[in-house]
Amino acid sequence: MVDSPLLTPLYHWHQAQGAKLVPFAGWQMPLQYAGIVAEHLHTRSAASLFDVSHMGQLLLTGQGADRALEQLLPGDIVGLAEGRMRYSLLTLSHGGILDDLMVVRLPSQGAESRLHLVINAARRQVDEAHLRAHLLPDLQLEALNSRALLALQGPTAAAVLAPLSPKAIDLPFMGAAELMVGDIPCLVMRSGYTGEDGFELSCAADDAVALADLLIAQDGVLPAGLGARDSLRLEAGLCLYGHDIDEQTNPMEAGLVWTIAKHRRDDSQGFLGAASVLSALKNKAAAGARQRVGLTLAAGSPPAREGAVIENLAGQPIGVVTSGGFSPSLQLPIAMGYVPADVPTDVTEGDVQVVVRSNRYLAKLSPLPFVPTRYVKPNATKP
Amino acid sequence: MTYYTKEHEWLELAADGVATVGITDYAQKQLGDVVFVELPAIGKTVAQAAEIAVVESVKAASEVYAPVSGTVVAANEDLPANPGLVNQAPQGAGWFVKLRLSDQGELAKLLDEAGYQAYLASIS
């Protein structure tokens, strides 16, 4: 970015909270406050507040917006009920992934579908251009640049939010509703990027400081930065765009087949890149096919970070780490990366090694997530 | 006497000409939670300003440079099992290596305590 960094509405709030601010995707964002490990563990045991206002928020409206958006992604949007949201992938004509995103169906207005999209910060311009090129002029696309996005994440998030927004805690996992939080109107989403129960709150930028102050004033809520956000999502086995998935990754090898609606798996014209995506789905053992895997290293090993080569025990390179670091919950290094699709991933045969600064360390191919997710379950007892 | 570098290493010279080397409190605060330290083999010779160790925090790997030339005569055997010592006691139990200096004249290129504090003030 040659331009001066973009600032979220909470920039000065972060400074006042003692954050270490760093450039990220063109934004100046809090990396950490008390420290990444402390913030990570607090999120797993209580609740943390994250500013994720750098993420793009878009409003797509118009008659048939759901069906039109389905031309650009493999998920079921037509069948998405009002007040529900879905994780999906914007695909490219060759089957690569332009971005991953959340699609929230807001209540329709008359015959108009209304879809709230949440996209990656680094992909805002490219996604917007892509959507405009394919969906206009029949539909309206509004970049919600004057909105903030806060995430309240952790096992006590619902208990924290209950007195401030009683209806919010009735939302199911991946449910969304326009609700008041205190006296602040928000789009409340029961979603997140940590593997924990939690909420993402979209509010007017002008209300962001008041909302952050309100939430941080609740018992047990502490601020957390992008450092903890990254280690939390890695433990939860969630992909980071630009690292674990990108324009060269097809959904099959990324292990994201579950995002392809079952009834859309036979129509090779059903969405952009469908022929390529569905071909990869039906030819899992095709030459060159890869799979995204989890790796764990023994405690005391160095973190195997992005770019670290994965070898078989004979020392032959078989893949590369796409994101990796230290797991505060497990107290050992974990990573995700790609290896050939025919490499067995069961634990007994899954031993490989990773290369860190010319040294080789044993690693085990591990199922994802590394740490069990604790999203709210249907019929969960209320806090 | 304790010497410092602008790369935030410290070096404490004992009377026998062996120096203990580590990273400063400022450095450990910048790094955050240290989770791994890669130490050199005993007997390795290093040139001044050459890489002598690697310290990994949760967020990144950083090189540690030899403040002076010398031969590694000891490495902190407590660090592999307890890298957090670097955060807890960077200028004590969290030391990295002991170096036998090959040229004490190189010490003249390092900062003393007052010089290092002035340097920290200038970059903060």
Side-chain angles (χ1 to χ4, degrees), chain B residues 5 20 38 46 56-57 61 74 76-77 81 83-84 95 102 111 114:
Chain B
T5 70
T20 305
E38 189 167 292
V46 290
E56 296 234 24
S57 68
N76 188 344
E77 293 175 357
W95 63 276
S102 55
L111 301 169

Side-chain angles (χ1 to χ4, degrees), chain B residues 40 43-52 66-72 99 102 106:
Chain B
K44 180 178 178 165
T45 59
V46 290
Q48 188 173 36
E51 181 184 313
I52 193 172
V68 292
S69 307
T71 304
V72 176
L99 278 181
S102 55
E106 289 175 347

